[in-house]
Amino acid sequence: SEAGLGKPGQRASQMGDDPKFVSGTISGKKVRIVGAGNIGARYASWCSMLGADVAIWDPIAKDATFAVAGAQRCFDKLDLVKDADILAPMMPLLEATTGIVDAEMINEMPKGSLIVLVTRAKICEVDALYKRVLSDELSLAVDVYDIEPLPLDSPLLGRNNVVHTPHIAGRTIDANYSRADDAIARFKVR
């Protein structure tokens, strides 16, 4: 069978079943984040609280952001990923951020690392990312894709090193109520 692909009738497996990829609890993992904005800083804080070693690269964030998030500030993108167990690129997709996680960064990541894509896929050079994922060198937890919806013939489907949550990560009833409450609060007279 083709590497990384499951076969019909086989016992289901999870990403955590394969010892060549990062898995288990986040405690003790080296979590590396690109972007210290609202999402990136909150994710950093959460990972830090759970015992991860967190570092962030963001050339424009204020020093206080890193301290509040419980993260080290990394000044070099390549240094950020060299020891990453988990990389979470968390920037908005703008002209300046398109491809900011470039092929050089992706190729510097250790084999077995996990990339978490939850903001916009095109902040990564997706060809380089997909090449390493399809070669079973990296694992991928993906909520956003470069083409949405993901085509049914995508080679990313059916792989034991890819977990899909197709653009639904923040879509829960509680999250929707919270967003509505926040929107209402913005219009209240203070």
Side-chain angles (χ1 to χ4, degrees), residues 90-104:
M90 297 192 165
M91 293 185 135
L93 183 61
L94 307 169
E95 189 175 325
T97 62
T98 299
I100 201 160
V101 177
D102 57 23
E104 189 176 13

Side-chain angles (χ1 to χ4, degrees), residues 1-44:
S1 98
E2 196 175 330
L5 293 178
K7 284 185 183 170
Q10 286 184 329
R11 180 185 79 80
S13 66
Q14 299 177 26
M15 185 184 291
D17 293 340
D18 193 334
K20 65 183 181 208
F21 296 112
V22 170
S23 63
T25 64
I26 205 161
S27 179
K29 299 291 189 297
K30 293 176 180 142
V31 176
R32 304 302 183 238
I33 301 168
V34 175
N38 186 36
I39 296 171
R42 285 181 187 213
Y43 181 72

Side-chain angles (χ1 to χ4, degrees), residues 34-138:
V34 175
N38 186 36
I39 296 171
R42 285 181 187 213
Y43 181 72
S45 179
W46 179 77
C47 291
S48 179
M49 176 196 64
L50 292 174
D53 170 8
V54 182
I56 304 173
W57 175 84
D58 189 318
I60 62 171
K62 306 251 185 266
D63 288 338
T65 303
F66 301 91
V68 170
Q72 304 162 45
R73 181 174 205 155
C74 187
F75 291 96
D76 183 275
K77 289 192 310 181
L78 286 180
D79 286 343
L80 180 75
V81 299
K82 286 181 179 178
D83 67 348
D85 292 316
I86 300 168
L87 175 66
M90 297 192 165
M91 293 185 135
L93 183 61
L94 307 169
E95 189 175 325
T97 62
T98 299
I100 201 160
V101 177
D102 57 23
E104 189 176 13
M105 283 180 76
I106 291 164
N107 291 330
E108 276 294 320
M109 293 189 63
K111 278 188 175 185
S113 297
L114 168 66
I115 295 186
V116 179
L117 280 183
V118 294
T119 56
R120 295 291 178 255
K122 289 185 181 179
I123 60 175
C124 294
E125 283 190 22
V126 292
D127 290 342
L129 172 59
Y130 293 168
K131 180 179 179 184
R132 291 214 54 207
V133 169
L134 296 174
S135 298
D136 282 333
E137 295 176 1
L138 299 175

